[in-house]
Amino acid sequence: MTRKELIEAARAAARNAHAPYSRFGVGATLLMTDGSVVTGCNFENASYGLSLCAETVALAKANSEGRLRDVAEVAVIGGTITPEGLRGGSVVSPCGRCRQVLNEAAQLGGRDLPIHCASADGAHVESYRLSELLPHAFGPANLGM
Ligand code: THU
């Protein structure tokens, strides 16, 4: 699957965002080693701090299928929710907590995950490796694993 297709799958997932408080929808796609995709969207809560990010939702889905170690690539998109779809010109990159959760999949699978960060208008995409977004990560190795 191409980077563009991964981003389009994330955009589609963002349509299911439950984000009535921020009105900011986020979608995430995980490309798995077998070529399949697992998607997620943000899931907000009236108790704001309990909200879940799109990336974490997607990773929890992969884990629930026994596939956390099979994540190969990640795409994220986000923007303001409007009747015409997501709007916004700046790229969305994973928040700090999501970077740490992504590191769990990266370490389990032994991959420095490519992370594609897209703007809602599709005009901007920035691709990074997780190690660039989360240098000197705390991970399983710190616990002797
Ligand atoms: N959000 C994500 O889903 N992923 C990120 O990496 C950044 C933020 C969500 C959380 C909240 O529902 C909304 O975006 C605004 O912060």
Side-chain angles (χ1 to χ4, degrees):
M1 233 178 167
T2 65
R3 182 172 89 161
K4 199 168 190 290
E5 288 171 327
L6 294 177
I7 291 166
E8 282 315 307
R11 186 197 298 284
R15 282 197 213 106
N16 295 320
H18 175 67
Y21 310 108
S22 71
R23 304 300 302 161
F24 193 84
V26 182
T29 307
L30 310 178
L31 175 65
M32 310 303 286
T33 50
D34 66 0
S36 65
V37 297
V38 176
T39 60
C41 59
N42 52 334
F43 179 26
E44 296 186 348
N45 192 281
S47 180
Y48 297 166
L50 300 184
S51 298
L52 301 173
C53 288
E55 302 91 317
T56 294
V57 167
L59 288 161
K61 278 174 71 179
N63 182 55
S64 71
E65 296 170 6
R67 302 205 288 163
L68 194 57
R69 69 185 61 244
D70 300 329
V71 179
E73 219 165 307
V74 181
V76 186
I77 193 169
T80 302
I81 297 169
T82 78
E84 292 78 39
L86 296 183
R87 288 292 172 268
S90 51
V91 301
V92 169
S93 74
C95 79
R97 182 174 187 268
C98 287
R99 294 176 194 200
Q100 184 66 31
V101 179
L102 284 162
N103 188 57
E104 201 68 17
Q107 293 297 314
L108 264 182
R111 293 179 199 91
D112 189 7
L113 295 175
I115 317 272
H116 310 298
C117 307
S119 61
D121 62 11
H124 302 99
V125 182
E126 294 172 7
S127 294
Y128 301 97
R129 293 281 175 164
L130 182 60
S131 63
E132 294 179 84
L133 299 180
L134 188 69
H136 313 292
F138 179 86
N142 294 99
L143 302 175
M145 302 179 75

